[in-house]
Amino acid sequence: MGALLGVEFRRYLARRTMRVAVLGAITAIAVAGLITFVVSQRPTAEGEAEARVERQKAFDACVRGDLGIDPEDVQPGQTIEEICGQVVSGPGFSAPQFALSSLPSVFVGTSVPLLLLAWVLAASFIGAEWHAGTVATQLTWEPRRMRVFVAKAVVSIALAAVLTVVLQAVLGAALVPAAAFRGSTEGLDEAWLREGLGVLMRGAAISAIAAALGYSIASVARNTAASMGLGFGYLIIFEQLIAGLRPGWQPWLLVPNIAVFLSGDSNLGFIDRSVGEAGLLLCAYAAGAMVIAAGLFVRRDVT
Amino acid sequence: MTVIEVEGLRKEFRQLRGRSPVAVDGLDLSVPQGGVFGFLGPNGSGKTTTIRCLLGLVRPTSGRCRLLGADSTAGLRSVIRRVGSIVEAPTLFPGFSGRRNLRLLGRLDGIGDGRVEDVLERVGLTARADHRVKTYSLGMKQRLGIAAALLRDPEVLILDEPANGLDPAGIKHVRDLLRRLGDEGRTVFLSSHFLGEVEQICDHVAILSRGRLIASGSVSDVLSKGGVTSLTVKLEDPAAGVRALGQAGIEASLDGDAIRVRRPPSDAALVTKALADRGLYLTELRPEQVTLESVFLELTGTSVPAAGLSAPPPPPAPPPPRPPSRDEG
């Protein structure tokens, strides 16, 4: 099994798709770091005073209901002042200063494209092999199909998680100059570190789950495009339809559970599920898809 | 010792609608150890499906296949390291170089880079080994596939159409290589469309038609199954010859400037006498040679284009003779 894993590992890393994807991601990170560095500005005393006035005006407008929040709709236990206080503390009401303390939120946002990347890479890893016919060649070297399936799956899933962590780390490093020289490095305490690592690990886990789903569908369909089309079609169209037509099914859908798990916040208002439960449910879905794909990989004819 | 045993093999490819096509229908086959074994059949006769069953890629509907004594559906693992194969067409990673492909395969079995260089040299691919496989010609891909099959130094080689796409020099190279491998005591199980090549290098052949075995044995045994062929007769006036033979009750037809007589070589004296009795004296009489191709076509009842069979391309036909001009007298 070690030799098989080693070969699959080399094959995955040597793929052009993988190299192009990593190069593209690193280029995008470098551009994002540069833009953040240019845009970020430390506030002056005069600018702070102007911002305070703007914030107060916006707060007053919000309380009057001019920002689209109707005071009548405020839930019991909350006040319109609390809600408007949160609104005016967000972006657009303060100086464009990048604070490294916001890195965990950045990681939550970038986890989404990274999970899509993980899906695509895993699907294309097995899909391209079916397309080229190399699965048959490999099975004439290692006829134990389950081993072949597991080796490819392990490599796809593990490298998706590692790639997510590495790219997020590179992104963090790319944003450090903006925070250090033109922004803020305040608030980098133990809680921040814990939160950041938590988001990083959950992002890696979500990428691994996405890779498992992408790999499973491509393995069953024996095609990369089918996995991508089915996956993205399901997430973008089908889940939205279900959420609209059957709101009661929402707790069992992928997107709300991904949102809860990734954000680490069970009070997002989508579903009543804890972060751990959302993670377990997603793992169960991925495991189910893998079991079906493995069964079919072992049983079906290779023609 | 028998290296490959197929007993009552049947394979249906199940379909949701309509009848399930039967690729192989009760095939029995036995391949002895050592030498080159030709596995022949028209397109769709079940050759590749049989090979896939042997290699565990396809599950038989019924019957069983044994390779080096191991059952292909359950026990292949114990013998697979003694087997090298190409199925249908060699499929390696198109984005990787030939050398990298072979090294990755070799690592699965702990085969070192030295062996990779040996097989590249053996198939004549060393100079292009670092180029991507997708830049290779079909012939080069075939040779790379053969190199991959040889990587394990196998006792048994199962090669499905290894000469496809090769130019005449490549065909000769592969033919010599396979013959050498057979002479080394390995068993080469070869499916091929090139009947002339098969006839030259195989010790034994089996002919398949519509999923069934219709002939099997040594090449000479199978050739002897070819029935009556014909005689080719030449004389000054072929048209008169055809009439004369017809009058003698011998079926004959014009074939260019010769006459084709549908009689076995043993009837040559009868033909000669029939012509001489009518004042026609032949200039040439020769029996048509029995070839594997003619036996194949006779046994399978197929024509060359329909069967998708071919011999290596014939040399271009000579230009037709120029009619004598008045000046030439």
Side-chain angles (χ1 to χ4, degrees):
Chain A
M1 190 67 179
L4 195 54
L5 278 170
V7 167
E8 293 300 343
F9 182 74
R10 284 165 192 269
R11 209 173 267 165
Y12 191 102
L13 292 181
R15 296 181 66 230
R16 179 184 268 208
T17 314
M18 167 74 177
R19 292 180 174 178
V20 168
V22 169
L23 195 68
I26 288 178
T27 306
I29 287 170
V31 171
L34 189 66
I35 290 172
T36 309
F37 187 84
V38 172
V39 170
S40 182
Q41 285 174 21
R42 281 195 176 131
T44 58
E46 194 179 317
E48 275 286 283
E50 278 178 23
R52 248 197 315 272
V53 172
E54 288 302 316
R55 271 202 298 273
Q56 188 57 50
K57 280 185 191 167
F59 180 81
D60 294 342
C62 178
V63 170
R64 284 196 305 272
D66 294 349
L67 292 189
I69 301 168
D70 191 342
E72 301 291 319
D73 292 341
V74 175
Q75 301 286 320
Q78 277 193 311
T79 63
I80 185 72
E81 286 78 12
E82 282 172 356
I83 295 171
C84 291
Q86 285 169 8
V87 169
V88 300
S89 66
F93 296 97
S94 54
Q97 167 185 251
F98 176 70
L100 208 52
S101 59
S102 66
L103 199 57
S105 305
V106 173
F107 284 166
V108 170
T110 49
S111 289
V112 175
L114 288 175
L115 83 84
L116 296 178
L117 182 67
W119 184 302
V120 170
L121 287 177
S124 72
F125 183 52
I126 184 77
E129 290 213 32
W130 279 115
H131 180 72
T134 48
V135 174
T137 303
Q138 204 174 356
L139 291 175
T140 61
W141 280 72
E142 174 51 270
R144 288 169 290 184
R145 294 192 188 187
M146 185 55 91
R147 279 181 158 231
V148 173
F149 180 87
V150 168
K152 290 182 191 299
V154 165
V155 167
S156 302
I157 293 167
L159 285 180
V162 170
L163 186 66
T164 297
V165 171
V166 169
L167 288 178
Q168 296 276 43
V170 172
L171 174 66
L175 293 175
V176 165
F181 299 109
R182 295 170 68 92
S184 163
T185 53
E186 285 174 13
L188 309 186
D189 52 11
E190 200 181 322
W192 170 83
L193 189 64
R194 213 171 25 248
E195 188 190 353
L197 285 177
V199 174
L200 208 58
M201 291 302 114
R202 288 198 302 276
I206 282 286
S207 287
I209 288 167
L213 289 169
Y215 175 87
S216 301
I217 298 171
S219 176
V220 171
R222 298 183 172 182
N223 187 299
T224 307
S227 173
M228 285 159 59
L230 203 70
F232 298 155
Y234 170 79
L235 289 176
I236 295 165
I237 301 168
F238 195 67
E239 280 220 344
Q240 304 308 314
L241 278 175
I242 293 177
L245 297 171
R246 302 267 180 203
W249 291 7
Q250 280 225 57
W252 305 101
L253 299 181
L254 284 175
V255 172
N257 283 287
I258 289 173
V260 168
F261 183 69
L262 208 51
S263 66
D265 183 357
S266 57
N267 298 317
L268 289 178
F270 297 125
I271 50 173
D272 184 19
R273 204 182 281 294
S274 73
V275 176
E277 285 170 350
L280 279 176
L281 184 73
L282 293 169
C283 286
Y285 285 161
M290 291 293 282
V291 167
I292 293 167
L296 289 171
F297 189 87
V298 170
R299 295 288 309 171
R300 284 167 73 191
D301 288 339
V302 179
T303 55
Chain B
M1 184 194 163
T2 304
V3 170
I4 294 173
E5 275 179 278
V6 177
E7 289 175 17
L9 178 68
R10 180 180 170 84
K11 178 63 189 176
E12 283 174 32
F13 286 101
R14 296 213 170 89
Q15 290 185 336
L16 293 176
R17 288 180 188 173
R19 282 183 58 194
S20 301
V22 178
V24 183
D25 189 7
L27 177 67
D28 293 305
L29 185 68
S30 181
V31 178
Q33 185 179 27
V36 184
F37 190 102
F39 193 44
L40 312 175
N43 286 344
S45 60
K47 301 187 301 291
T48 300
T49 303
T50 304
I51 288 174
R52 286 182 187 277
C53 286
L54 276 170
L55 293 168
L57 297 173
V58 160
R59 211 172 282 269
T61 306
S62 62
R64 65 175 190 170
C65 303
R66 294 176 74 83
L67 189 54
L68 289 163
D71 188 90
S72 289
T73 48
L76 209 52
R77 174 190 158 197
S78 59
V79 297
I80 199 72
R81 290 188 179 194
R82 295 156 63 194
V83 179
S85 59
I86 298 178
V87 186
E88 209 156 25
T91 45
L92 294 159
F93 290 96
F96 292 177
S97 70
R99 181 174 274 124
R100 185 194 276 262
N101 265 297
L102 294 184
R103 284 182 174 174
L104 283 171
L105 276 179
R107 285 204 174 94
L108 287 173
D109 271 3
I111 295 168
D113 294 349
R115 176 71 189 155
V116 170
E117 298 309 314
D118 286 348
V119 294
L120 282 169
E121 182 74 39
R122 196 157 189 184
V123 299
L125 261 184
T126 306
R128 291 288 305 272
D130 286 324
H131 294 195
R132 287 179 180 215
V133 170
K134 68 178 167 194
T135 67
Y136 285 12
S137 66
L138 184 56
M140 289 168 72
K141 286 179 186 165
Q142 288 286 2
R143 282 192 275 160
L144 184 64
I146 294 171
L150 289 173
L151 206 51
R152 285 166 155 165
D153 200 11
E155 289 169 44
V156 180
L157 269 162
I158 298 176
L159 305 175
D160 193 4
E161 305 285 358
N164 259 3
L166 295 176
D167 56 18
I171 291 173
K172 184 179 182 318
H173 181 90
V174 169
R175 185 179 69 201
D176 294 346
L177 175 63
L178 297 183
R179 190 58 261 173
R180 250 193 334 271
L181 292 166
D183 292 340
E184 286 170 7
R186 298 172 211 265
T187 308
V188 180
F189 184 75
L190 166 73
S191 104
S192 179
H193 279 158
F194 295 113
L195 299 177
E197 298 298 318
V198 168
E199 192 174 339
Q200 284 184 57
I201 63 169
C202 289
D203 305 300
H204 295 84
V205 291
I207 299 179
L208 213 61
S209 177
R210 298 187 180 91
R212 291 169 187 259
L213 187 70
I214 53 170
S216 177
S218 67
V219 171
S220 55
D221 284 349
V222 172
L223 286 177
S224 71
K225 287 179 183 165
V228 174
T229 53
S230 60
L231 294 165
T232 298
V233 176
K234 284 192 176 177
L235 67 170
E236 278 196 8
D237 186 353
V242 171
R243 281 195 302 275
L245 289 169
Q247 286 162 9
I250 296 171
E251 190 190 335
S253 59
L254 273 177
D255 184 8
D257 62 345
I259 301 170
R260 174 145 308 180
V261 183
R262 290 285 297 168
R263 287 294 178 102
S266 57
D267 283 357
L270 194 69
V271 172
T272 311
K273 185 173 182 302
L275 291 169
D277 286 350
R278 287 157 184 82
L280 298 166
Y281 298 96
L282 49 85
T283 56
E284 186 181 329
L285 185 147
R286 58 184 162 81
E288 186 188 276
Q289 206 175 357
V290 180
T291 63
L292 199 50
E293 184 171 323
S294 61
V295 173
F296 179 92
L297 295 175
E298 193 176 323
L299 292 175
T300 58
T302 51
S303 62
V304 172
L309 287 162
S310 61
R322 203 156 44 100
S325 67
R326 284 172 196 266
D327 294 343
E328 286 169 342

